[in-house]
Amino acid sequence: MPASRLLVAAAAAAIALPALAQDATPQSNAAAPAPAPAPGPAAPPGSAGESETGVVELNADQLTEVEPPPPPVEYPAFARRDPRLVGRLDPVELGLGASPWRGASGAFLGSLMRRMDTPLASRWAHIALRNALLSKALAPRNINPVDWAAERAWLLLKMGEADAARMVVSGVDTDRFTPRMFQVGVQSALANADPAALCPLQDGIQKTDRNIVQIVDAMCAALAGEPETANAQIDAARRRGRMQGIDLELAQKVIGAGANTNRAVDIDWGPVDRIDNWRFGLATATGMTFPDRLIKGAPTQIRAWQAASPMIAPQDRLASAQIAAGLGVFSSQSLADLNALIYDSTDPDDIPGTAAFQLRQAFIGKDQDTRLGAMRKLWSASSDYLELQGARAMLGRASAMVEPTADLQSDAPNLIASMLAAGYDKDAGRWARAVSQMDDQYADQAWAMLALGAPDGTPVDLGVRRINAFIDRDNSDGKRRSALLIAGLAGLGRIDQETASRLSTRFGLRIGHRSIWTRMIDRAASLGQAGTVLVLTGTGMQSATFDETPPAHVFHSVAALKRTRLEFTARMIAAEALART
């Protein structure tokens, strides 16, 4: 990962390390297996600018300069919710303990989260971080709890987790919204293609983003059945010229769908060169799909948002759903369910040519050759990195149904990678003996994934001679796969530090490299801050692939996760690094 992505960590280190230490008391965690901005293209708060349409993008650095809006309607006491305790998942059940953030500085964590680049290299790191951000745990110290919820929701949006972000935003009473939460609330509404969700935020939008306030007022008037008001507002917005072109036309289309405004709008995507949050949200809300050239060039989080949009036909969001599964936004079951919908709605004559048909064959084909043939077609269907990972995750359960045998050595690496991508670690472990009987060219990759991902007690050879044999045959650039193997084994404690150091030195693997980031994640782990460890793991894996992730980051992330009793996640990330490299 380029060093520039960790500059924020370096800048914050002087206050971060003491912050991690303060107010922390040892506490064991219960172990549990892990199961545009308007309108810029997914620019995080902190990236500034004005789009070509004139709509100002989110800028987190300016949020504190905005005067807080007046509180809206007063909530009855019985309906009040504690803003310090926002979330949907039980952190104890997730294995994070009752206080995932205990003692950590919320200002420091919020800064890391706001500047984190996405997607993450690891699907399992994404899943674990999402769950932590959704956990119902007390907000950390040194941050407004509503702003803490806003930072969590914003990172979830950047990760492609539109539904999860909406859960966090909806957990805060609107009369307690801060300027930052108002802006994130707007982005959540757009990501979920839900213009009606903008209406409770109108007073706050008036203070935080005057460039869109009149358009929002017009859409909300239309949705409330007030066409005259909607027409007057949209005409005024056009005269002022703050929004033009496709962005204004999409708003008019929403207005036309909401009330009898006599404003039929035809959308021409020809002059449009990109999809941003505003365009995605309003177009999708009216059931529109995008030309291939636009959707294929969209940021991965927008693809994930589209995958989860029920207004779009299943077939039209299949490619995005495969990407969402590769990211970790979609589970293997969610992608399989979407394919089932496509199968049920496809003309029988057209079914044999669909991925849905191949998936069905992978599960219920008449014999093993038929099932494996279908899996091979799905594994090779796309050269896109994330779509391949999505296919692997989708085929996890089907792969677990294949009986281990050395005769399937050419399929074994994909079968094992698929099982581990979907979390079937025990089923993958059943292949250990068969792998030991395979030819080296197939056995090495399969053995390495099992050495890292299989549960303790699996009969996998972890001897130095076997490890050396893998390294000797490794022809990856700079023996990168070997470095990731040693980093994972050492982080999991499956080889001792002395052996890891000796191998690293001998082969120039540099897994022991130290930095401010490594010291911070080690410190967080020593204090039992499972949530902080997950945020720092995400910070250490800010790259689209593991090719840019330093092996030292894998080592320290895996070790910190294991130390905070997130051993399943640690194993899955370590194995995934080998499977994806």
Side-chain angles (χ1 to χ4, degrees):
M1 178 182 67
S4 61
R5 293 182 181 172
L6 288 176
L7 284 179
V8 64
I15 61 169
L17 291 173
L20 291 173
Q22 292 175 13
D23 302 325
T25 55
Q27 178 177 332
S28 63
N29 297 333
S47 56
E50 184 171 73
S51 76
E52 58 200 14
T53 61
V55 184
V56 177
E57 297 181 353
L58 271 176
N59 188 330
D61 297 331
Q62 298 173 352
L63 291 178
T64 55
E65 301 172 9
V66 182
E67 182 180 336
V73 180
E74 189 174 332
Y75 280 64
F78 70 85
R80 295 304 247 164
R81 293 170 295 180
D82 188 346
R84 300 170 302 168
L85 201 64
V86 175
R88 292 295 183 91
L89 303 180
D90 184 342
V92 175
E93 291 184 0
L94 294 172
L96 300 173
S99 301
W101 319 105
R102 65 183 136 136
S105 166
F108 167 66
L109 290 175
S111 178
L112 288 181
M113 290 157 57
R114 187 163 56 254
R115 291 167 171 80
M116 192 181 297
D117 287 341
T118 56
L120 304 182
S122 167
R123 180 176 188 270
W124 282 104
H126 173 113
I127 292 169
L129 178 56
R130 176 197 63 210
N131 290 346
L133 296 174
L134 267 175
S135 66
K136 190 173 184 177
L138 279 173
R141 62 182 182 83
N142 197 26
I143 191 171
N144 182 315
V146 177
D147 283 341
W148 171 246
E151 299 295 1
R152 291 156 59 197
W154 177 247
L155 179 52
L156 287 166
L157 289 173
K158 291 195 296 179
M159 293 167 65
E161 299 280 358
D163 288 338
R166 176 164 52 186
M167 290 180 192
V168 174
V169 171
S170 65
V172 179
D173 296 338
T174 54
D175 68 332
R176 284 178 164 150
F177 273 28
T178 61
R180 183 168 301 178
M181 181 56 97
F182 272 113
Q183 291 191 328
V184 174
V186 169
Q187 303 313 308
S188 174
L190 295 174
N192 285 282
D194 185 10
L198 296 170
C199 300
L201 310 179
Q202 284 174 275
D203 288 341
I205 294 172
Q206 175 72 41
K207 295 287 186 178
T208 59
D209 198 341
R210 294 184 180 180
N211 290 308
I212 67 169
V213 66
Q214 201 154 32
I215 299 295
V216 171
D217 288 347
M219 290 191 293
C220 292
L223 293 171
E226 301 172 3
E228 296 82 3
T229 302
N231 281 328
Q233 294 278 20
I234 201 72
D235 289 340
R238 183 183 294 105
R239 288 194 300 272
R240 293 184 180 181
R242 287 181 173 175
M243 185 178 290
Q244 304 171 12
I246 190 71
D247 299 299
L248 184 60
E249 291 168 4
L250 288 170
Q252 287 180 277
K253 192 168 184 68
V254 172
I255 291 167
N260 183 22
T261 55
N262 297 317
R263 289 178 181 265
V265 180
D266 293 324
I267 301 298
D268 178 13
W269 293 107
V272 179
D273 61 359
R274 65 187 176 92
I275 302 172
D276 55 35
N277 295 9
W278 180 266
R279 295 166 186 175
F280 169 82
L282 301 194
T284 304
T286 55
M288 298 181 66
T289 55
F290 302 96
D292 284 349
R293 66 178 178 85
L294 290 178
I295 194 62
K296 288 181 178 178
T300 56
Q301 58 264 53
I302 286 183
R303 299 299 300 271
W305 298 348
Q306 187 191 54
S309 299
M311 295 78 74
I312 305 299
Q315 182 61 54
D316 291 334
R317 50 193 171 103
L318 178 59
S320 291
Q322 291 172 321
I323 290 172
L327 292 169
V329 177
F330 263 33
S331 67
S332 56
Q333 188 61 54
S334 296
L335 185 54
D337 289 345
L338 185 67
N339 274 280
L341 290 174
I342 293 171
Y343 185 94
D344 290 340
S345 62
T346 302
D347 186 282
D349 293 337
D350 298 329
I351 285 177
T354 65
F357 175 78
Q358 297 302 333
L359 179 61
R360 186 179 178 85
Q361 291 294 96
F363 279 95
I364 62 169
K366 63 181 179 180
D367 52 39
Q368 182 161 280
D369 287 344
T370 301
R371 294 191 292 273
L372 284 170
M375 288 188 231
R376 293 180 193 122
K377 289 179 181 178
L378 290 169
W379 286 323
S380 61
S382 175
S383 59
D384 181 87
Y385 174 82
L386 285 174
E387 288 187 28
L388 169 60
Q389 308 311 323
R392 282 177 168 173
M394 180 177 66
L395 290 170
R397 189 153 62 93
S399 298
M401 296 164 60
V402 177
E403 193 65 27
T405 171
D407 294 339
L408 296 176
Q409 60 180 11
S410 62
D411 292 308
N414 267 326
L415 289 167
I416 292 171
S418 292
M419 285 183 271
L420 294 176
Y424 291 94
D425 58 331
K426 293 180 181 178
D427 294 282
R430 294 169 52 229
W431 281 78
R433 288 190 174 87
V435 167
S436 67
Q437 301 167 11
M438 295 177 185
D439 295 341
D440 292 340
Q441 67 181 104
Y442 303 110
D444 277 351
Q445 185 177 1
W447 166 81
M449 287 186 285
L450 292 178
L452 296 166
D456 289 340
T458 305
V460 181
D461 183 1
L462 297 177
V464 174
R465 179 177 298 180
R466 181 66 183 90
I467 296 171
N468 276 327
F470 178 92
I471 297 174
D472 289 340
R473 290 190 288 266
D474 180 14
N475 59 5
S476 61
D477 290 344
K479 292 195 176 293
R480 179 167 185 79
R481 289 175 56 78
S482 297
L484 292 171
L485 172 67
I486 301 305
L489 290 173
L492 291 168
R494 294 187 168 180
I495 57 174
D496 58 49
Q497 294 297 316
E498 182 181 348
T499 301
S501 179
R502 185 170 65 252
L503 289 169
S504 179
T505 301
R506 177 184 172 190
F507 295 101
L509 305 180
R510 297 191 71 233
I511 68 164
H513 176 70
R514 302 287 293 177
S515 67
I516 293 173
W517 176 85
T518 65
R519 288 193 289 274
M520 286 193 294
I521 195 169
D522 291 350
R523 178 63 171 163
S526 71
L527 296 172
Q529 295 174 358
T532 305
V533 164
L534 285 170
V535 171
L536 287 166
T537 295
T539 302
M541 296 187 178
Q542 296 174 87
S543 56
T545 70
F546 275 102
D547 292 340
E548 300 176 37
T549 304
H553 286 197
V554 174
F555 165 63
H556 287 276
S557 295
V558 168
L561 290 165
K562 182 175 173 62
R563 188 169 184 179
T564 50
R565 301 190 180 186
L566 297 172
E567 189 260 351
F568 176 85
T569 299
R571 285 191 287 112
M572 294 303 100
I573 290 175
E576 185 182 31
L578 263 292
R580 290 191 171 201
T581 303

